[in-house]
Amino acid sequence: MFFQKDIETMSRNEIESLQLQRLKHTVNYCINNVPFYAKRLEQAKVTPDKIKSLSDIQYIPFTTKADIRDNYPYGLFAVPLKKIVRIHASSGTTGKPTVVGYTRDDIANWSDCVARFCTAVGVCENDIAQISFGYGLFTGALGLHYGLEKIGCSVIPVSSGNTEKQVMLLKDFQPTVLVSTPSYAMYMSEVAKQQGIASDEIKLRVGLFGSEGCTDELRNKIEKGFGLFSTDNYGMSELMGPGVSGECEYREGLHIAEDHFIPEIINSQTGEVLDRGEKGELVMTTITKQGIPLLRYRTKDITTLNYQPCKCGRTHVRMGKVQGRSDDMLKIRGVNVFPSQIESVIAGIDGISPHYELILTRKNYTDYLEVKVELVNAELLEDYSRLNALREFVVAKLHTVLGIKAKVSLVAPSILKRYEGKAKRIVDLRN
């Protein structure tokens, strides 16, 4: 059992005292080792001596993904490459990838953080874990791999893709833990059903899902499909990878590893730090990273923070499920729409699958949203009356949640694309 009780149950005063000490060290470390930060902190007149309380973190300028890309590939590294034992990078779908490096101590801390949240949901040395994340520059697979091995799990590093083989291994190797994106887990459960594999032939009991958002409604469908306990964890390559936070058995928020990170919530438009409990953009400062420390990194993820101790006994702050990204938010006829809102509606309706696609178009300077959704039963396509009734029901439910009327297209089963990694559900044709 990997429960670091002395750290995970510290009092709020103890946590904040440790964070302040490590924040001062990190500011000094950045000034002495990262020219980018030395210049930026000098311009902001920030020195370690100016940091007298945690609230003084507000004087430190934000770091953005653009800053990392502008210093591509190694400009933000704080140590020479001979001390970097691992290099990862983001997918780089919108420009050059964000490159991150790890020292040996960084890898050890990363493994600890992952082992913590896996333990918090009941994973132990008796488990067998199938990792269906893609191995490579993406941090997800190796991040979970090292953390699970630290607990003592047997790890099956199958990687992503070849879904039929994935399902075969679920049946033959009898893993008890599945690591994947939630959308890929949903797809694998569909393939298992198509292959006639009975639910009792698969022994999964815990799903460690990440890399993309998962609404409660989608979670319920995954649990029903595989008969497992579905859990959520959070991370990004810029900060560390998976392990920044994760749920415990009570699933009432994701515990942030506050001995390694300082979280804030800001107004994404003004940059103003919001009061505790308010919803806004998550900003994170790393306070133990050696390879590439980041000060006040803007994640773009929208969430809340809950500082009340959890029923599990852990005291580290809990972040709510990410409700969307400030840069993924869709503005449709003046209304802010997050894809997660649409997913929560779709996944909660009987007769349609949780797979969907959002088509954005513009006509006469007005934006329109089309939601393509798959039917569960293809025979419904031949019954216009029932098909139309279901379509109107989905339209009404979306209208209630979104505040706008979207076009809904119901398509045959298995028509929409399935994803082995992070799902890409938005097709923006407005430009």
Side-chain angles (χ1 to χ4, degrees):
M1 184 176 181
F2 196 87
F3 178 33
Q4 297 178 314
K5 185 176 181 180
D6 291 345
I7 297 173
E8 296 182 70
T9 63
M10 296 170 75
S11 70
R12 177 51 41 191
N13 285 340
E14 289 173 325
I15 292 171
E16 294 184 354
S17 176
L18 177 63
Q19 287 180 323
L20 180 59
Q21 172 193 334
R22 289 182 171 178
L23 175 61
K24 289 180 176 181
H25 169 80
T26 300
V27 168
N28 188 61
Y29 182 75
C30 287
I31 290 172
N32 291 329
N33 295 284
V34 186
F36 166 84
Y37 276 128
K39 181 179 179 180
R40 181 165 284 189
L41 291 171
E42 181 182 16
Q43 291 172 341
K45 296 182 171 54
V46 173
T47 63
D49 293 339
K50 189 171 182 178
I51 309 295
K52 300 186 184 302
S53 67
L54 279 182
S55 63
D56 291 334
I57 198 171
Q58 65 184 303
Y59 301 118
I60 299 175
F62 295 117
T63 306
T64 66
K65 181 168 283 192
D67 292 326
I68 302 177
R69 287 185 173 140
D70 289 345
N71 287 277
Y72 173 89
Y74 306 133
L76 289 187
F77 283 23
V79 297
L81 283 176
K82 67 180 181 181
K83 292 188 176 181
I84 296 292
V85 298
R86 177 92 63 78
I87 294 173
H88 280 286
S90 70
S91 59
T93 54
T94 56
K96 288 188 175 180
T98 53
V99 179
V100 293
Y102 303 78
T103 65
R104 292 191 186 280
D105 287 344
D106 290 336
I107 294 291
N109 288 335
W110 186 11
S111 301
D112 280 359
C113 289
V114 172
R116 279 186 203 173
F117 81 74
C118 293
T119 297
V121 293
V123 178
C124 66
E125 62 184 5
N126 297 321
D127 281 303
I128 302 172
Q130 178 165 320
I131 298 182
S132 299
F133 275 148
Y135 280 73
L137 291 177
F138 169 58
T139 57
L142 283 170
L144 268 296
H145 187 128
Y146 273 55
L148 288 164
E149 282 190 341
K150 192 152 202 169
I151 294 173
C153 290
S154 302
V155 176
I156 307 170
V158 65
S159 195
S160 61
N162 197 345
T163 307
E164 288 75 15
K165 184 176 181 179
Q166 298 268 1
V167 173
M168 180 190 77
L169 296 181
L170 289 177
K171 179 184 176 184
D172 296 347
F173 285 19
Q174 299 284 282
T176 51
V177 176
L178 175 63
V179 176
S180 72
T181 63
S183 57
Y184 194 38
M186 189 71 219
Y187 180 38
M188 280 193 278
S189 72
E190 291 177 349
V191 172
K193 185 177 181 180
Q194 291 167 3
Q195 292 182 353
I197 297 174
S199 58
D200 60 357
E201 294 183 87
I202 291 178
K203 303 302 181 183
L204 291 175
R205 66 180 193 85
V206 177
L208 300 172
F209 302 130
S211 186
E212 65 184 18
C214 182
T215 62
D216 290 339
E217 291 79 8
L218 178 58
R219 162 187 276 176
N220 292 339
K221 295 217 169 186
I222 296 171
E223 290 187 335
K224 185 177 179 181
F226 269 141
L228 50 70
F229 182 71
S230 171
T231 69
D232 198 8
N233 62 83
Y234 174 84
M236 54 178 54
S237 58
E238 298 95 311
L239 298 174
M240 181 173 69
V244 174
S245 69
E247 289 182 308
C248 67
E249 59 184 309
Y250 293 101
R251 300 193 303 193
E252 294 180 352
L254 288 74
H255 295 267
I256 295 175
E258 285 194 274
D259 51 326
H260 297 286
F261 305 97
I262 299 176
E264 303 171 81
I265 298 292
I266 66 167
N267 180 313
S268 59
Q269 302 300 316
T270 67
E272 172 194 7
V273 179
L274 300 178
D275 292 335
R276 289 186 175 182
E278 291 193 65
K279 181 172 71 175
E281 180 185 340
L282 179 66
V283 171
M284 296 287 269
T285 296
T286 68
I287 50 175
T288 57
K289 287 285 290 290
Q290 296 175 345
I292 177 169
L294 291 181
L295 300 175
R296 301 194 81 201
Y297 184 71
R298 295 190 60 164
T299 68
K300 300 295 185 179
D301 291 322
I302 306 300
T303 186
T304 58
L305 297 176
N306 180 355
Y307 285 85
Q308 295 300 313
C310 181
K311 288 184 290 189
C312 71
R314 294 173 177 82
T315 54
H316 290 203
V317 64
R318 288 169 285 156
M319 59 181 281
K321 275 182 171 291
V322 172
Q323 298 176 29
R325 289 179 56 83
S326 60
D327 53 359
D328 278 351
M329 183 180 71
L330 310 174
K331 194 122 182 170
I332 311 294
R333 299 192 292 280
V335 177
N336 296 335
V337 174
F338 288 103
S340 59
Q341 294 174 295
I342 297 171
E343 180 181 292
S344 67
V345 171
I346 292 169
I349 298 176
D350 292 334
I352 59 177
S353 83
H355 302 289
Y356 64 94
E357 187 175 71
L358 309 180
I359 313 293
L360 301 172
T361 56
R362 178 172 293 150
K363 184 178 181 180
N364 296 331
Y365 306 101
T366 301
D367 291 340
Y368 295 92
L369 170 65
E370 177 185 2
V371 182
K372 286 188 175 181
V373 187
E374 277 187 9
L375 294 168
V376 172
N377 185 356
E379 294 179 2
L380 198 60
L381 290 169
E382 300 175 6
D383 189 332
Y384 177 78
S385 177
R386 289 174 58 205
L387 184 68
N388 191 56
L390 178 58
R391 181 190 296 111
E392 291 301 319
F393 179 75
V394 177
V395 169
K397 293 284 283 186
L398 287 171
H399 191 191
T400 299
V401 172
L402 305 180
I404 61 170
K405 193 166 185 178
K407 177 183 176 182
V408 172
S409 299
L410 301 178
V411 300
S414 303
I415 289 294
L416 299 180
K417 186 176 180 180
R418 300 309 197 249
Y419 293 91
E420 297 164 354
K422 188 177 295 187
K424 300 175 181 65
R425 304 192 187 280
I426 302 172
V427 179
D428 193 341
L429 304 177
R430 290 178 293 184
N431 294 320

